[in-house]
Amino acid sequence: MSEHRTGDDGARDERAPDELPEYAERVLDVADLIPPGRVMTYGDIAEWLGEGGPRQVGRVMALYGGAAPWWRVVRSDGALLPGHELRALDHYREESTPLREASRSAGGHIPRLDMKRARWDGVTGGHGGAGGVDGGTHT
């Protein structure tokens, strides 16, 4: 990944390609592997890489993830990214990502991801489940 990344809004990351931190590039590479209709949690990606944790992955996605499929990197509880719920929901519906409809008491009636069905295990073409990432199959 040596090209500039641009966000959905077309804004360019003004850092030179060689200035993208190596860890950030690795996180974005994993995000690019997630198939349409599937998701990985911030923690899943950290586990995949064997480095960092959910907060570090979240920081990378916040700073550099605009051109990556950011909607496929999610919180473990299935809640949609605050402030980006509607944009993410459009992507999920377009990709047929499994969702759980919101209860009537939920504010705004925003659904959550169905993590048992949507979570990708990190194996190309695999069908992830509640078990998460298989630490030995992707390195």
Side-chain angles (χ1 to χ4, degrees), residues 85-122:
E85 297 94 342
L86 297 179
R87 284 179 43 215
L89 196 54
D90 286 343
H91 288 290
Y92 298 139
R93 287 182 173 146
E94 180 181 313
E95 296 181 355
S96 299
T97 306
L99 298 171
R100 297 180 67 169
E101 290 305 317
S103 67
R104 293 189 188 270
S105 64
H109 304 291
I110 299 290
R112 290 181 176 256
L113 291 157
D114 183 336
M115 293 302 291
K116 287 185 179 184
R117 293 178 31 224
R119 198 171 194 174
W120 187 52
D121 64 3

Side-chain angles (χ1 to χ4, degrees), residues 17-39:
D18 57 348
E19 291 183 50
L20 184 65
E22 188 268 338
Y23 182 73
E25 189 165 337
R26 291 176 60 214
V27 166
L28 296 173
D29 286 345
V30 174
D32 286 338
L33 293 174
I34 303 169
R38 304 306 294 274
V39 298

